[in-house]
Amino acid sequence: MLAIESSCDETALAVLKDGKTLLSDLISSQIDLHKKYGGVVPELACRRHIEVIGPLLKETLEKSGVPLEAIDAIAVTAGPGLVGALLVGVSFAKSLSYALGIPLLAVHHLAGHINAAFIEHADIPFPAVALVVSGGHTNLYAMARRGDYRLVGKTIDDAAGEAFDKGARMLGFGYPGGQVIDRLALKGNIDRFNFPRPYRSKLHCDFSFSGLKTSLRQKLLNLDPTCLKSAQFQADIAAAYQSAIVESLVEKTFQALAKEKAVAIILSGGVAANSLLRKRMKEEGDKRGFPVYIPSPQYCTDNAAMIAMAGAEQYDKGRFASCDLNPDPNLPLR
Ligand code: KG4
Ligand code: ZN
C-alpha cells in the first residue's frame, strides 16, 4: 500500500507491506518556507506540495524496492486540513488509483495520528482512550476497538499545539514554537512563574487553553522587555507555560480513562512529541497501573506511515473510497 499525507505543511509518502511492515517513509518538510511568516501560508504550502509530490513518489518507491505496478492500494488524507493542500494529495492519489486500477482509501488525519501508535505496538488492549494533540486539534476519543472512535472531550478554544505556537510567538521564539519551548524548558524552573490551570471541572473532559495565552500576555506586559533576552528567564517562563498545558492534558486524559472504564491510553499528534508530556503521561500511567502508548517522536508529527496504518485498518474492513472523493477541510471522525 502507498500512503500520501499533504494536509498541512509536510508532504509525506510511505509504502507499507502486509498492513504492518514499513518499507519506506519519507517526509518533505516546509518549515523553512513558512518560518519567515511565523506560521503556515496556505497558498505557499499548496504550491510546494505540487512541486515535491512527484519526485517524492519516485524516491519513496526506490527506497521501498517496490515498483509502482506492484502497489496494490492507495491511502490518502482526505481531511481535515488546508483544503488546497489536501487537494494536491487527494488528486494525486485518485489519478494513481485510476491509472493503476487499485482501491483508494480516504483516511481521516486524526485517525492517522491515532494509528501511528500501532506502528510500534501491534497489541494495544481495548477499551482505550486516545488523546490526539496537534496544531489544530485537542480531542479525546473513547475507543472500544481499533478503528472505532467516539469523541468524549475536546478543546473549547485553542488546540494544545496552537497554545504552544502562539505562546512561543509572544515570547519571540519563532516558528514552529512547540519544539523551541520543549527545548528551552529543559533548563527551566517550573515554579518561577504561576500560570492558571483552567477548566478543571470533573463534570466534563474538555480543555481550554486561551486563558493561558492571556495570562502569558499579561505577564509580559508587566515585565521589563529586556528580561526576554535572558536565557534563564526564557527557560523559566517556557517551563512554567509548558507545564500548565501538559498538566491539563494529563489530568483530563486520566479523567476520561476512569469515566470510560478504559484499560489503556494512546497519546498521539504533533504535541505528543513533547518530552514533558511523554514523561508525565507515562509517570501517571505507571502510578495508576495503566499502559500508555506513545509513538516515537518522528511518528507523532505529520507523516505518511500513520496514514498507511489507518488505511490498512480500513482496507481490512473493505471501507474503500470512490473515485469522486473530495477533500473535506472539516471532515468529522466517525
Ligand atoms: O500533528 P502535527 O504535526 O500537525 C497537525 O496536524 O497540526 O502537529 C503540529 C503541532 C504544532 O503546533 C507544533 O508546535 C507541535 O505540534 N509540536 C510540539 C512539539 N513538536 C511539535 N509541541 C510541543 N512540543 C514539541 N516537542
Ligand atoms: Zn497532524
Side-chain angles (χ1 to χ4, degrees), residues 5-81:
E5 155 64 37
S6 71
S7 66
C8 190
D9 59 346
E10 326 273 357
T11 323
L13 277 88
V15 175
L16 183 74
K17 189 181 164 205
D18 300 335
K20 50 179 188 285
T21 311
L22 270 175
L23 298 181
S24 61
D25 169 26
L26 297 186
I27 301 173
S28 169
S29 169
Q30 303 184 358
I31 285 180
D32 287 346
L33 181 67
H34 302 288
K35 211 175 190 131
K36 58 178 174 289
Y37 304 103
V40 178
V41 183
E43 178 65 25
L44 295 181
C46 306
R47 285 166 191 258
R48 180 61 70 81
H49 284 307
I50 293 170
E51 278 164 27
V52 305
I53 199 164
L56 198 62
L57 171 66
K58 193 163 172 276
E59 209 182 324
T60 308
L61 290 172
E62 271 166 20
K63 208 152 171 235
S64 71
V66 177
L68 186 59
E69 313 76 66
I71 295 291
D72 61 358
I74 308 226
V76 64
T77 306

